[in-house]
Amino acid sequence: MTVAAGLALAGCGGGHSPVAGPKPSVSASPTRPVAKPRAAGLDPAHLPAGWSLVAWPAAGTIPVFGQSAPVTNADAPTSQPSTSEPPARQPPATQAPAVAPVGRSAEQPTSTLANPNAEGAPLVLLVKHYQPDWLQVSLPVRPNGSTGWIRTKDTRLTATPFALTVDKTRHELTVFKDGKPSGVYPVGIGTGTTPTPLGHFYLAELLKPANPAGPWGPYAFGLSGFSDVITNFDGGNGIIGLHGTNQPDRVGTDVSMGCIRLRNSDITALAALLPVGTPVTIT
């Protein structure tokens, strides 16, 4: 689903202060792609190679149990991925083992998430570990890399065959489908003082800016991650975006305040292709 919005991503205008738009509302534009539903016959415990499980909570307030953050920043990927290999799906070694809540920890949530989110988009969560009763999910909160557990019964499960990698050195975004590369796009990234963060994220929302000729272009994905240096921008929390631009000549350079910029034709193609929930690895 696309949400029409005045965006408050992490300084994505690259120094051009955006004009605040209206409170986000559901767009009248055609429905965007959604991941394949569980009812289609996929076993959530045994997905095909390259696929990822996605959870869509049903309630307006989602209790999260056993929320945890990475011990250090060491879990951010540092090696350069091969363009012929999909992003790694293994949990970082510094994270705690995936143990579902039991006893009192299964009765007392450590936090809650609002559904829809602050931009008015339906809450979607990338599943890291599936169990019949519990899902360990990536959380769209600070600090980056936070995880928690939600009850499986409170969600609708889908699966996506897509994954993305962003290579900051090469200024390239690679799209994987079924674990195989299917497209490469040039991108602009954050500058040295406002870098695009490293790590494992996912596409948390798809927004439609009020002005398609503006600094965000015709579409903007909000990622589950946040800038490491910007904590407040235009009323937002420094969310990292993947979006178009009105400066196409600067795609391929270090130009933004942390967001990932694509040419408008490329973000339009990706908006028509990628469902929210798609994992994103930035190296």
Side-chain angles (χ1 to χ4, degrees), residues 49-111:
W51 287 59
S52 297
L53 197 63
V54 179
W56 299 75
T61 301
I62 311 304
V64 177
F65 300 83
Q67 180 172 335
S68 62
V71 176
T72 68
N73 290 332
D75 63 336
T78 56
S79 61
Q80 296 295 334
S82 167
T83 56
S84 61
E85 295 293 336
R89 299 291 295 136
Q90 300 300 319
T94 56
Q95 289 186 339
V99 179
V102 295
R104 289 181 63 111
S105 64
E107 300 173 357
Q108 299 179 345
T110 50
S111 64

Side-chain angles (χ1 to χ4, degrees), residues 35-54:
K36 192 172 184 179
R38 179 179 176 181
L42 289 178
D43 180 355
H46 302 91
L47 295 178
W51 287 59
S52 297
L53 197 63
V54 179

